[in-house]
Amino acid sequence: MLEIPSPVYSVIVPAYNEEEVINETYKRLTAVMTGMDEPYELIFVNDGSRDKTAEIIAGFCAQDASVRLINFTRNFGHMPAITAGMDNVRGQAVFIIDADLQDPPELFPEMAARWKEGYHVAYGKRTKRKGESWFKKITARIFYRFIRRLTTVDLPPDTGEFRLIDRKVCDAVARLPERSRYIRGLVSWVGFKQIAVEYVREERFAGTTKYPFRKMISFALDAITAFSYKPLKLATSLGFFLSLISFVYLLVIFFQWAFTDALVSGWASTIGAVLFTQGIVLMILGLMGEYIGRIYEEIKGRPAYIILEIVGQNEEIYRIPD
């Protein structure tokens, strides 16, 4: 088997049903990495695609020794796909980029320059988001600022997984034991020297988004429950506040009954108040359920992903997570 040089750079590309864009992704990644004039590897992680994504990438592997393909047994999700790439890289600096080309690989040289200056993480920061609805832009803006207030970890706003991380950072994150992984949060949590690289996020080159509203909500809940227990403290404070209001209201009712001739009326408002407080209670129970569900997923100890096969040069050197 032809041996390839040990790569300086590794590029992790999670892909799920991206047959419409994957050829262009490979073309642009190859052009950028070749222009950087140092050994590199491209690691495509096929997250259980149901189209021809895996077949197309396997074709890249057959003609390009720098390409490897990790095939999952099924769809495990975006974060497990990135994790699998991080578990199997060989480079000293690791790029993470989605296959949809909304994040420009042409930014890699600038990120690499920051790395050579001594930064361990160079993360992409979006200054503008093209092709996204006003609803997604507003909710994303609210989410990033909300989660920064909830956690003591410095989570940069308007960022995604698009970034360069030093191998030390990659190995540190890979050693973290949790299964529900919020990669950008974990990279911030481990520390190291980090810097932003600003860019304009483009529209998808082709295909459809893999983050519909339902997945966005699930992703946000994962991020919040992974890095903050302040919502539970807020629920406790809210419970005390509502209890205090209720106690004062009962004192008013007792005073009217004992010392005045006023009739105790207003059943509609009373029922409304009861329904409101019960709704708050159910919301708090649901919030607690999210944390308990996360604990349940963690204690089962199942791997974040399962590899079916790896295609490409030196495919035998991979490890399945403990």
Side-chain angles (χ1 to χ4, degrees), residues 94-96 107-125 159-166 169 187 193-199:
V94 181
F95 295 104
I96 303 173
L107 207 63
F108 284 176
E110 184 176 350
M111 290 180 169
R114 303 288 83 77
W115 174 62
K116 290 179 179 179
E117 290 173 3
Y119 289 96
H120 299 99
V121 178
Y123 55 85
K125 183 175 182 179
T159 63
E161 272 58 57
F162 178 48
R163 61 191 59 216
L164 175 150
I165 61 175
D166 186 85
V169 179
V187 171
K193 192 177 179 181
Q194 309 197 13
I195 190 173
V197 177
E198 294 185 344
Y199 73 104

mmCIF file of all heavy atoms in Angstrom, residues 94-96 107-125 159-166 169 187 193-199:
data_model
loop_
_atom_site.group_PDB
_atom_site.id
_atom_site.type_symbol
_atom_site.label_atom_id
_atom_site.label_comp_id
_atom_site.label_asym_id
_atom_site.label_seq_id
_atom_site.Cartn_x
_atom_site.Cartn_y
_atom_site.Cartn_z
ATOM 1 N N VAL A 94 -6.533 20.637 13.209
ATOM 2 C CA VAL A 94 -7.753 19.986 12.731
ATOM 3 C C VAL A 94 -8.792 21.032 12.355
ATOM 4 O O VAL A 94 -9.191 21.859 13.185
ATOM 5 C CB VAL A 94 -8.336 19.058 13.821
ATOM 6 C CG1 VAL A 94 -9.603 18.373 13.308
ATOM 7 C CG2 VAL A 94 -7.297 18.032 14.265
ATOM 8 N N PHE A 95 -9.223 21.003 11.103
ATOM 9 C CA PHE A 95 -10.326 21.854 10.653
ATOM 10 C C PHE A 95 -11.631 21.076 10.778
ATOM 11 O O PHE A 95 -11.681 19.869 10.504
ATOM 12 C CB PHE A 95 -10.145 22.259 9.184
ATOM 13 C CG PHE A 95 -8.954 23.131 8.916
ATOM 14 C CD1 PHE A 95 -7.805 22.616 8.337
ATOM 15 C CD2 PHE A 95 -8.997 24.489 9.220
ATOM 16 C CE1 PHE A 95 -6.709 23.423 8.073
ATOM 17 C CE2 PHE A 95 -7.903 25.308 8.960
ATOM 18 C CZ PHE A 95 -6.757 24.775 8.390
ATOM 19 N N ILE A 96 -12.703 21.780 11.161
ATOM 20 C CA ILE A 96 -14.045 21.195 11.183
ATOM 21 C C ILE A 96 -14.930 22.059 10.297
ATOM 22 O O ILE A 96 -15.005 23.274 10.478
ATOM 23 C CB ILE A 96 -14.628 21.146 12.609
ATOM 24 C CG1 ILE A 96 -13.704 20.366 13.540
ATOM 25 C CG2 ILE A 96 -16.020 20.514 12.596
ATOM 26 C CD1 ILE A 96 -14.124 20.418 15.005
ATOM 27 N N LEU A 107 -11.311 30.091 4.014
ATOM 28 C CA LEU A 107 -10.875 30.762 5.242
ATOM 29 C C LEU A 107 -9.804 29.945 5.981
ATOM 30 O O LEU A 107 -9.195 30.437 6.928
ATOM 31 C CB LEU A 107 -12.080 30.988 6.163
ATOM 32 C CG LEU A 107 -12.009 32.161 7.149
ATOM 33 C CD1 LEU A 107 -11.919 33.477 6.405
ATOM 34 C CD2 LEU A 107 -13.224 32.163 8.078
ATOM 35 N N PHE A 108 -9.567 28.715 5.544
ATOM 36 C CA PHE A 108 -8.585 27.850 6.212
ATOM 37 C C PHE A 108 -7.197 28.475 6.314
ATOM 38 O O PHE A 108 -6.572 28.396 7.379
ATOM 39 C CB PHE A 108 -8.488 26.499 5.492
ATOM 40 C CG PHE A 108 -9.646 25.579 5.762
ATOM 41 C CD1 PHE A 108 -9.726 24.345 5.106
ATOM 42 C CD2 PHE A 108 -10.643 25.905 6.661
ATOM 43 C CE1 PHE A 108 -10.776 23.484 5.345
ATOM 44 C CE2 PHE A 108 -11.707 25.049 6.907
ATOM 45 C CZ PHE A 108 -11.775 23.826 6.245
ATOM 46 N N PRO A 109 -6.650 29.072 5.238
ATOM 47 C CA PRO A 109 -5.296 29.641 5.369
ATOM 48 C C PRO A 109 -5.201 30.703 6.462
ATOM 49 O O PRO A 109 -4.190 30.778 7.170
ATOM 50 C CB PRO A 109 -5.033 30.232 3.977
ATOM 51 C CG PRO A 109 -5.877 29.411 3.056
ATOM 52 C CD PRO A 109 -7.126 29.105 3.836
ATOM 53 N N GLU A 110 -6.239 31.534 6.611
ATOM 54 C CA GLU A 110 -6.214 32.553 7.663
ATOM 55 C C GLU A 110 -6.260 31.899 9.044
ATOM 56 O O GLU A 110 -5.566 32.325 9.973
ATOM 57 C CB GLU A 110 -7.378 33.525 7.495
ATOM 58 C CG GLU A 110 -7.349 34.662 8.499
ATOM 59 C CD GLU A 110 -8.438 35.690 8.274
ATOM 60 O OE1 GLU A 110 -9.112 35.631 7.225
ATOM 61 O OE2 GLU A 110 -8.620 36.547 9.167
ATOM 62 N N MET A 111 -7.081 30.856 9.180
ATOM 63 C CA MET A 111 -7.136 30.133 10.447
ATOM 64 C C MET A 111 -5.784 29.492 10.756
ATOM 65 O O MET A 111 -5.303 29.514 11.895
ATOM 66 C CB MET A 111 -8.225 29.061 10.396
ATOM 67 C CG MET A 111 -9.641 29.597 10.385
ATOM 68 S SD MET A 111 -10.857 28.255 10.327
ATOM 69 C CE MET A 111 -12.377 29.152 10.650
ATOM 70 N N ALA A 112 -5.165 28.903 9.726
ATOM 71 C CA ALA A 112 -3.866 28.262 9.910
ATOM 72 C C ALA A 112 -2.808 29.298 10.311
ATOM 73 O O ALA A 112 -1.911 29.007 11.123
ATOM 74 C CB ALA A 112 -3.447 27.545 8.634
ATOM 75 N N ALA A 113 -2.907 30.503 9.761
ATOM 76 C CA ALA A 113 -1.967 31.568 10.129
ATOM 77 C C ALA A 113 -2.100 31.919 11.609
ATOM 78 O O ALA A 113 -1.103 32.133 12.308
ATOM 79 C CB ALA A 113 -2.213 32.800 9.263
ATOM 80 N N ARG A 114 -3.339 31.971 12.113
ATOM 81 C CA ARG A 114 -3.550 32.240 13.544
ATOM 82 C C ARG A 114 -2.969 31.098 14.389
ATOM 83 O O ARG A 114 -2.409 31.327 15.463
ATOM 84 C CB ARG A 114 -5.044 32.403 13.851
ATOM 85 C CG ARG A 114 -5.785 33.482 13.075
ATOM 86 C CD ARG A 114 -5.414 34.881 13.535
ATOM 87 N NE ARG A 114 -4.185 35.365 12.902
ATOM 88 C CZ ARG A 114 -4.106 35.808 11.654
ATOM 89 N NH1 ARG A 114 -5.184 35.846 10.888
ATOM 90 N NH2 ARG A 114 -2.969 36.221 11.160
ATOM 91 N N TRP A 115 -3.101 29.874 13.898
ATOM 92 C CA TRP A 115 -2.552 28.709 14.606
ATOM 93 C C TRP A 115 -1.028 28.798 14.687
ATOM 94 O O TRP A 115 -0.433 28.559 15.747
ATOM 95 C CB TRP A 115 -2.987 27.434 13.895
ATOM 96 C CG TRP A 115 -2.385 26.171 14.431
ATOM 97 C CD1 TRP A 115 -2.532 25.665 15.689
ATOM 98 C CD2 TRP A 115 -1.542 25.257 13.726
ATOM 99 N NE1 TRP A 115 -1.841 24.480 15.809
ATOM 100 C CE2 TRP A 115 -1.215 24.212 14.617
ATOM 101 C CE3 TRP A 115 -1.033 25.204 12.428
ATOM 102 C CZ2 TRP A 115 -0.404 23.141 14.251
ATOM 103 C CZ3 TRP A 115 -0.243 24.132 12.060
ATOM 104 C CH2 TRP A 115 0.073 23.120 12.971
ATOM 105 N N LYS A 116 -0.407 29.185 13.596
ATOM 106 C CA LYS A 116 1.047 29.297 13.577
ATOM 107 C C LYS A 116 1.543 30.462 14.429
ATOM 108 O O LYS A 116 2.711 30.484 14.835
ATOM 109 C CB LYS A 116 1.537 29.446 12.129
ATOM 110 C CG LYS A 116 1.360 28.164 11.314
ATOM 111 C CD LYS A 116 1.820 28.327 9.889
ATOM 112 C CE LYS A 116 1.661 27.025 9.116
ATOM 113 N NZ LYS A 116 2.091 27.161 7.700
ATOM 114 N N GLU A 117 0.658 31.406 14.707
ATOM 115 C CA GLU A 117 1.005 32.508 15.609
ATOM 116 C C GLU A 117 0.968 32.081 17.076
ATOM 117 O O GLU A 117 1.406 32.826 17.951
ATOM 118 C CB GLU A 117 0.037 33.683 15.403
ATOM 119 C CG GLU A 117 0.222 34.406 14.079
ATOM 120 C CD GLU A 117 -0.870 35.443 13.839
ATOM 121 O OE1 GLU A 117 -1.733 35.616 14.747
ATOM 122 O OE2 GLU A 117 -0.878 36.058 12.769
ATOM 123 N N GLY A 118 0.420 30.887 17.331
ATOM 124 C CA GLY A 118 0.384 30.393 18.702
ATOM 125 C C GLY A 118 -1.000 30.170 19.275
ATOM 126 O O GLY A 118 -1.140 29.712 20.415
ATOM 127 N N TYR A 119 -2.050 30.464 18.505
ATOM 128 C CA TYR A 119 -3.408 30.215 18.977
ATOM 129 C C TYR A 119 -3.755 28.732 18.823
ATOM 130 O O TYR A 119 -3.386 28.099 17.828
ATOM 131 C CB TYR A 119 -4.414 31.067 18.207
ATOM 132 C CG TYR A 119 -4.332 32.539 18.545
ATOM 133 C CD1 TYR A 119 -3.579 33.413 17.746
ATOM 134 C CD2 TYR A 119 -4.979 33.060 19.658
ATOM 135 C CE1 TYR A 119 -3.481 34.759 18.059
ATOM 136 C CE2 TYR A 119 -4.885 34.411 19.976
ATOM 137 C CZ TYR A 119 -4.140 35.244 19.176
ATOM 138 O OH TYR A 119 -4.044 36.575 19.493
ATOM 139 N N HIS A 120 -4.460 28.189 19.808
ATOM 140 C CA HIS A 120 -4.843 26.781 19.768
ATOM 141 C C HIS A 120 -6.187 26.557 19.082
ATOM 142 O O HIS A 120 -6.478 25.450 18.628
ATOM 143 C CB HIS A 120 -4.908 26.200 21.181
ATOM 144 C CG HIS A 120 -3.604 26.242 21.910
ATOM 145 N ND1 HIS A 120 -3.291 27.218 22.823
ATOM 146 C CD2 HIS A 120 -2.515 25.429 21.829
ATOM 147 C CE1 HIS A 120 -2.074 27.004 23.296
ATOM 148 N NE2 HIS A 120 -1.573 25.939 22.713
ATOM 149 N N VAL A 121 -7.015 27.595 19.054
ATOM 150 C CA VAL A 121 -8.325 27.520 18.401
ATOM 151 C C VAL A 121 -8.543 28.794 17.610
ATOM 152 O O VAL A 121 -8.360 29.898 18.126
ATOM 153 C CB VAL A 121 -9.473 27.362 19.425
ATOM 154 C CG1 VAL A 121 -10.826 27.337 18.714
ATOM 155 C CG2 VAL A 121 -9.290 26.110 20.268
ATOM 156 N N ALA A 122 -8.923 28.652 16.332
ATOM 157 C CA ALA A 122 -9.337 29.788 15.510
ATOM 158 C C ALA A 122 -10.742 29.473 15.018
ATOM 159 O O ALA A 122 -10.923 28.637 14.132
ATOM 160 C CB ALA A 122 -8.379 29.998 14.341
ATOM 161 N N TYR A 123 -11.746 30.089 15.643
ATOM 162 C CA TYR A 123 -13.133 29.754 15.314
ATOM 163 C C TYR A 123 -13.735 30.797 14.383
ATOM 164 O O TYR A 123 -13.435 31.987 14.455
ATOM 165 C CB TYR A 123 -13.980 29.629 16.581
ATOM 166 C CG TYR A 123 -13.964 30.833 17.505
ATOM 167 C CD1 TYR A 123 -14.823 31.906 17.291
ATOM 168 C CD2 TYR A 123 -13.095 30.890 18.587
ATOM 169 C CE1 TYR A 123 -14.809 33.013 18.129
ATOM 170 C CE2 TYR A 123 -13.071 31.992 19.432
ATOM 171 C CZ TYR A 123 -13.934 33.046 19.197
ATOM 172 O OH TYR A 123 -13.920 34.141 20.021
ATOM 173 N N GLY A 124 -14.586 30.328 13.468
ATOM 174 C CA GLY A 124 -15.261 31.227 12.556
ATOM 175 C C GLY A 124 -16.399 31.957 13.244
ATOM 176 O O GLY A 124 -17.236 31.333 13.899
ATOM 177 N N LYS A 125 -16.427 33.275 13.110
ATOM 178 C CA LYS A 125 -17.494 34.092 13.682
ATOM 179 C C LYS A 125 -18.273 34.752 12.546
ATOM 180 O O LYS A 125 -17.711 35.487 11.741
ATOM 181 C CB LYS A 125 -16.929 35.156 14.621
ATOM 182 C CG LYS A 125 -18.008 35.990 15.292
ATOM 183 C CD LYS A 125 -17.423 36.966 16.308
ATOM 184 C CE LYS A 125 -18.519 37.763 16.994
ATOM 185 N NZ LYS A 125 -17.981 38.711 18.001
ATOM 186 N N THR A 159 -21.212 31.752 16.486
ATOM 187 C CA THR A 159 -20.233 30.771 16.010
ATOM 188 C C THR A 159 -20.894 29.398 15.887
ATOM 189 O O THR A 159 -21.923 29.140 16.500
ATOM 190 C CB THR A 159 -19.039 30.651 16.976
ATOM 191 O OG1 THR A 159 -19.511 30.174 18.243
ATOM 192 C CG2 THR A 159 -18.354 31.991 17.169
ATOM 193 N N GLY A 160 -20.278 28.555 15.082
ATOM 194 C CA GLY A 160 -20.726 27.176 14.969
ATOM 195 C C GLY A 160 -19.547 26.247 15.201
ATOM 196 O O GLY A 160 -18.609 26.576 15.923
ATOM 197 N N GLU A 161 -19.586 25.088 14.548
ATOM 198 C CA GLU A 161 -18.469 24.159 14.670
ATOM 199 C C GLU A 161 -17.335 24.477 13.688
ATOM 200 O O GLU A 161 -16.272 23.858 13.751
ATOM 201 C CB GLU A 161 -18.957 22.721 14.434
ATOM 202 C CG GLU A 161 -19.450 22.012 15.669
ATOM 203 C CD GLU A 161 -20.596 22.735 16.354
ATOM 204 O OE1 GLU A 161 -21.629 22.976 15.708
ATOM 205 O OE2 GLU A 161 -20.463 23.069 17.547
ATOM 206 N N PHE A 162 -17.543 25.399 12.782
ATOM 207 C CA PHE A 162 -16.540 25.762 11.793
ATOM 208 C C PHE A 162 -15.343 26.418 12.476
ATOM 209 O O PHE A 162 -15.432 27.524 13.004
ATOM 210 C CB PHE A 162 -17.163 26.730 10.776
ATOM 211 C CG PHE A 162 -16.223 27.224 9.715
ATOM 212 C CD1 PHE A 162 -15.417 26.338 9.009
ATOM 213 C CD2 PHE A 162 -16.158 28.574 9.401
ATOM 214 C CE1 PHE A 162 -14.563 26.782 8.017
ATOM 215 C CE2 PHE A 162 -15.311 29.038 8.410
ATOM 216 C CZ PHE A 162 -14.513 28.136 7.719
ATOM 217 N N ARG A 163 -14.197 25.723 12.459
ATOM 218 C CA ARG A 163 -13.028 26.219 13.190
ATOM 219 C C ARG A 163 -11.795 25.373 12.908
ATOM 220 O O ARG A 163 -11.889 24.297 12.316
ATOM 221 C CB ARG A 163 -13.304 26.201 14.691
ATOM 222 C CG ARG A 163 -13.585 24.802 15.252
ATOM 223 C CD ARG A 163 -14.120 24.880 16.680
ATOM 224 N NE ARG A 163 -15.340 25.654 16.766
ATOM 225 C CZ ARG A 163 -15.658 26.450 17.787
ATOM 226 N NH1 ARG A 163 -14.835 26.575 18.811
ATOM 227 N NH2 ARG A 163 -16.798 27.115 17.801
ATOM 228 N N LEU A 164 -10.662 25.860 13.363
ATOM 229 C CA LEU A 164 -9.430 25.077 13.449
ATOM 230 C C LEU A 164 -9.130 24.867 14.922
ATOM 231 O O LEU A 164 -9.208 25.806 15.712
ATOM 232 C CB LEU A 164 -8.271 25.796 12.774
ATOM 233 C CG LEU A 164 -6.879 25.135 12.880
ATOM 234 C CD1 LEU A 164 -6.036 25.482 11.655
ATOM 235 C CD2 LEU A 164 -6.116 25.586 14.137
ATOM 236 N N ILE A 165 -8.764 23.640 15.271
ATOM 237 C CA ILE A 165 -8.337 23.363 16.643
ATOM 238 C C ILE A 165 -6.999 22.627 16.614
ATOM 239 O O ILE A 165 -6.744 21.799 15.738
ATOM 240 C CB ILE A 165 -9.383 22.537 17.422
ATOM 241 C CG1 ILE A 165 -9.626 21.185 16.755
ATOM 242 C CG2 ILE A 165 -10.683 23.301 17.572
ATOM 243 C CD1 ILE A 165 -10.574 20.267 17.540
ATOM 244 N N ASP A 166 -6.158 22.981 17.546
ATOM 245 C CA ASP A 166 -4.868 22.310 17.683
ATOM 246 C C ASP A 166 -5.082 20.860 18.120
ATOM 247 O O ASP A 166 -6.094 20.520 18.751
ATOM 248 C CB ASP A 166 -4.016 23.048 18.713
ATOM 249 C CG ASP A 166 -2.614 22.497 18.817
ATOM 250 O OD1 ASP A 166 -1.757 22.911 18.023
ATOM 251 O OD2 ASP A 166 -2.385 21.643 19.710
ATOM 252 N N VAL A 169 -6.031 20.373 21.698
ATOM 253 C CA VAL A 169 -7.444 20.645 21.985
ATOM 254 C C VAL A 169 -8.303 19.458 21.549
ATOM 255 O O VAL A 169 -9.206 19.022 22.270
ATOM 256 C CB VAL A 169 -7.899 21.925 21.269
ATOM 257 C CG1 VAL A 169 -9.367 22.211 21.548
ATOM 258 C CG2 VAL A 169 -7.032 23.103 21.682
ATOM 259 N N VAL A 187 -15.150 22.738 23.326
ATOM 260 C CA VAL A 187 -13.898 23.377 22.911
ATOM 261 C C VAL A 187 -13.650 24.633 23.748
ATOM 262 O O VAL A 187 -12.511 24.927 24.135
ATOM 263 C CB VAL A 187 -13.931 23.715 21.407
ATOM 264 C CG1 VAL A 187 -12.739 24.585 21.017
ATOM 265 C CG2 VAL A 187 -13.935 22.432 20.578
ATOM 266 N N LYS A 193 -5.742 28.889 24.117
ATOM 267 C CA LYS A 193 -5.714 30.237 23.553
ATOM 268 C C LYS A 193 -6.575 30.266 22.286
ATOM 269 O O LYS A 193 -6.298 29.532 21.335
ATOM 270 C CB LYS A 193 -4.263 30.625 23.242
ATOM 271 C CG LYS A 193 -4.060 32.096 22.911
ATOM 272 C CD LYS A 193 -2.573 32.378 22.701
ATOM 273 C CE LYS A 193 -2.340 33.851 22.353
ATOM 274 N NZ LYS A 193 -0.907 34.133 22.128
ATOM 275 N N GLN A 194 -7.593 31.124 22.273
ATOM 276 C CA GLN A 194 -8.573 31.112 21.194
ATOM 277 C C GLN A 194 -8.732 32.497 20.585
ATOM 278 O O GLN A 194 -8.560 33.508 21.258
ATOM 279 C CB GLN A 194 -9.927 30.603 21.703
ATOM 280 C CG GLN A 194 -9.831 29.288 22.456
ATOM 281 C CD GLN A 194 -11.149 28.581 22.609
ATOM 282 O OE1 GLN A 194 -12.139 28.924 21.969
ATOM 283 N NE2 GLN A 194 -11.162 27.552 23.451
ATOM 284 N N ILE A 195 -9.089 32.518 19.287
ATOM 285 C CA ILE A 195 -9.279 33.782 18.579
ATOM 286 C C ILE A 195 -10.366 33.601 17.526
ATOM 287 O O ILE A 195 -10.548 32.508 16.973
ATOM 288 C CB ILE A 195 -7.958 34.253 17.915
ATOM 289 C CG1 ILE A 195 -8.102 35.674 17.388
ATOM 290 C CG2 ILE A 195 -7.534 33.298 16.791
ATOM 291 C CD1 ILE A 195 -6.808 36.285 16.881
ATOM 292 N N ALA A 196 -11.095 34.680 17.256
ATOM 293 C CA ALA A 196 -12.151 34.664 16.243
ATOM 294 C C ALA A 196 -11.596 35.051 14.881
ATOM 295 O O ALA A 196 -10.703 35.899 14.778
ATOM 296 C CB ALA A 196 -13.276 35.609 16.639
ATOM 297 N N VAL A 197 -12.145 34.432 13.842
ATOM 298 C CA VAL A 197 -11.868 34.816 12.458
ATOM 299 C C VAL A 197 -13.224 35.109 11.820
ATOM 300 O O VAL A 197 -14.052 34.209 11.667
ATOM 301 C CB VAL A 197 -11.143 33.700 11.687
ATOM 302 C CG1 VAL A 197 -10.929 34.111 10.235
ATOM 303 C CG2 VAL A 197 -9.802 33.370 12.347
ATOM 304 N N GLU A 198 -13.475 36.360 11.471
ATOM 305 C CA GLU A 198 -14.798 36.763 10.997
ATOM 306 C C GLU A 198 -14.991 36.418 9.522
ATOM 307 O O GLU A 198 -14.041 36.421 8.733
ATOM 308 C CB GLU A 198 -14.996 38.263 11.214
ATOM 309 C CG GLU A 198 -15.027 38.658 12.687
ATOM 310 C CD GLU A 198 -15.337 40.128 12.886
ATOM 311 O OE1 GLU A 198 -15.231 40.899 11.898
ATOM 312 O OE2 GLU A 198 -15.688 40.516 14.020
ATOM 313 N N TYR A 199 -16.259 36.138 9.169
ATOM 314 C CA TYR A 199 -16.592 35.809 7.783
ATOM 315 C C TYR A 199 -18.086 35.978 7.565
ATOM 316 O O TYR A 199 -18.865 36.104 8.521
ATOM 317 C CB TYR A 199 -16.174 34.367 7.442
ATOM 318 C CG TYR A 199 -17.039 33.299 8.074
ATOM 319 C CD1 TYR A 199 -17.985 32.599 7.321
ATOM 320 C CD2 TYR A 199 -16.913 32.979 9.429
ATOM 321 C CE1 TYR A 199 -18.775 31.614 7.900
ATOM 322 C CE2 TYR A 199 -17.689 31.991 10.008
ATOM 323 C CZ TYR A 199 -18.621 31.318 9.237
ATOM 324 O OH TYR A 199 -19.410 30.347 9.803
#
